[in-house]
Amino acid sequence: MPELPEVEAYRQLAEGALGRPVERAVFGDRRFARGSSSPRHLVAALAGVSFTAARRHGKLLVLDTDGPDGAPHLGLRFGMTGRLLVDGRAGVERLIYSSEREEAKWDRFTVVFKDGGRMVVRDPRLLGGVELDPTESALGPDALGVTAGELRRALEHSVVALKARLLDQHRLAGVGNLIADEVLWRASLAPHRRSGSLTPAELRRLHRHLHLTLDELIRRGGSHLGDLMPERRFGGHCPRDGTELVRSTVGGRTSWWCPRHQH
DNA sequence: ATTGTGGCCTGCCCGC
DNA sequence: TGCGGGCAGGCCACAA
C-alpha cells in the first residue's frame, strides 16, 4: 500500500510532470475531491498553470504551481490503493492490497497537459483524494528526516500505545501500518508499549531503526518488502527467533509482533 | 485538548 | 457457477 516509500516513488515520477502547461484537469469521480474546494473550483484553479515542484510530506504529495492567485498547491493522497501514472508510466509496479488491472473507471483524477501527456491518479477504492492547498502544517515532521529530538517530542508524555502514536500523522508523517510493524519488530519494541514510557536508549534504537527501515524499503521498492511481511499471517513466525507471532489490534489496526523479543 | 471508535470505499478471497 | 460475508487500512467525523 502507499506508505512513505511508494509516495516517494510517486514524487520522483511526478517530477516528469513539471514545467508542462496544464490544458485541463478532470475528475473521473467527484467524490475524489477532498477539502473545502469544490471539484469545479479545483479544476478551474489548475487550468493553464504549470507544476513547478513535486514535494512529499509523509504520505502527502504536493505539486506547487506557477498560478497567479497565490500559486495554488495541489495535494494528492493515495489511501491504500492509489497509484500515480505519468504519461502511462506507473510510479510503482506492485501495490499490495490493490489491483493490477487497468479500469478506466478507476482513473479518479486526470491532469491533461497541453503537450498531450497526462498525469492520472488511479484508485479502485477511492480512499485517496485530491485537495487544493492542503494544510501541511497539520502534519508532523516527515518520518524520513525526523531528528531524534523530534521523534522524542512526538512520543513523550503519552500513555497511548506506541504504535498508535507512530501512526498518528499529526505527530509523525509517513508511517503506515506495515512499516510500523516492521520498525517495531526491528527495534524490539512491543506495539502496545505506552508511548511515553520509552527510555532514552529505546528512543535512540527506535530512531535508528526508523531511518534504517525507511531507507531499506525505499531501496527495495515498497512498504510491503520488509523482513516481517511474509510472516504477517496466522501461523507466521518471527524471522529473528522463530517464535510464533501474535496478532492483536493496536491503535485500531491489525498488528503482528513477536512476544519473545519485542517488549 | 486528547483519545478511541466507526464509517467510508470496493476489490478480492473464502466457504457454501 | 454465483453469492454473501469478512477483510484490508488511510483518513475523517464524531463522541466522550
Side-chain angles (χ1 to χ4, degrees):
Chain A
M1 75 193 74
E3 294 189 36
L4 192 153
E6 283 81 5
V7 179
E8 177 57 25
Y10 295 166
R11 187 198 66 75
Q12 291 175 26
L13 179 72
E15 290 190 332
L18 303 184
R20 300 163 64 180
V22 172
E23 180 175 297
R24 65 182 189 280
V26 187
F27 276 97
D29 191 314
R30 293 173 51 88
R31 291 173 294 175
F32 211 57
R34 297 295 147 90
S36 54
S37 298
S38 67
R40 185 190 306 270
H41 179 227
L42 193 152
V43 162
L46 293 180
V49 307
S50 294
F51 297 119
T52 55
R55 299 180 288 112
R56 184 191 55 73
H57 191 151
K59 302 179 229 183
L60 174 71
L61 178 60
V62 182
L63 299 180
D64 298 330
T65 70
D66 61 357
D69 302 322
H73 308 277
L74 178 66
L76 305 179
R77 295 179 187 280
F78 300 93
M80 73 181 276
T81 56
R83 295 170 183 276
L84 186 71
L85 299 97
V86 175
D87 302 326
R89 275 193 31 230
V92 298
E93 295 168 21
R94 180 141 184 288
L95 205 55
I96 193 168
Y97 300 135
S98 191
S99 170
E100 313 280 310
R101 283 155 54 201
E102 291 194 25
E103 296 266 2
K105 65 178 180 184
W106 293 344
D107 291 355
R108 310 299 188 177
F109 180 75
T110 301
V111 174
V112 181
F113 299 105
K114 288 180 178 170
D115 60 22
R118 55 184 58 202
M119 180 177 74
V120 175
V121 181
R122 179 177 292 164
D123 183 4
R125 288 187 46 198
L126 288 167
L127 287 168
V130 176
E131 183 177 2
L132 206 58
D133 298 321
T135 313
E136 290 181 67
S137 60
L139 292 171
D142 186 79
L144 191 56
V146 69
T147 66
E150 288 171 332
L151 183 63
R152 174 174 50 77
R153 283 191 289 279
L155 301 178
E156 67 188 354
H157 308 313
S158 173
V159 296
V160 169
L162 172 58
K163 179 174 171 182
R165 272 276 158 134
L166 290 175
L167 292 174
D168 185 344
Q169 303 298 300
H170 302 289
R171 312 256 177 201
L172 177 70
V175 175
N177 197 41
L178 297 184
I179 291 180
D181 276 2
E182 178 80 16
V183 169
L184 291 172
W185 172 73
R186 293 186 182 205
S188 301
L189 293 167
H192 51 263
R193 263 290 288 279
R194 284 179 295 129
S195 172
S197 73
L198 270 59
T199 66
E202 287 173 329
L203 271 170
R204 277 196 302 276
R205 210 163 70 214
L206 179 61
H207 181 250
R208 187 172 75 246
H209 282 292
L210 178 62
H211 283 288
L212 288 172
T213 303
L214 289 173
D215 283 345
E216 192 163 327
L217 292 180
I218 287 173
R219 215 164 46 238
R220 293 183 186 177
S223 56
H224 61 289
L225 298 175
D227 297 335
L228 182 68
M229 187 66 202
E231 303 299 324
R232 239 175 140 272
R233 55 183 169 78
F234 289 107
H237 292 81
C238 173
R240 180 181 300 183
D241 56 41
T243 306
E244 185 161 347
L245 295 181
V246 172
R247 179 181 125 130
S248 49
T249 300
V250 180
R253 295 283 168 256
T254 301
S255 307
W256 295 88
W257 55 285
C258 172
R260 179 182 292 183
H261 86 269
Q262 289 180 252
H263 300 288

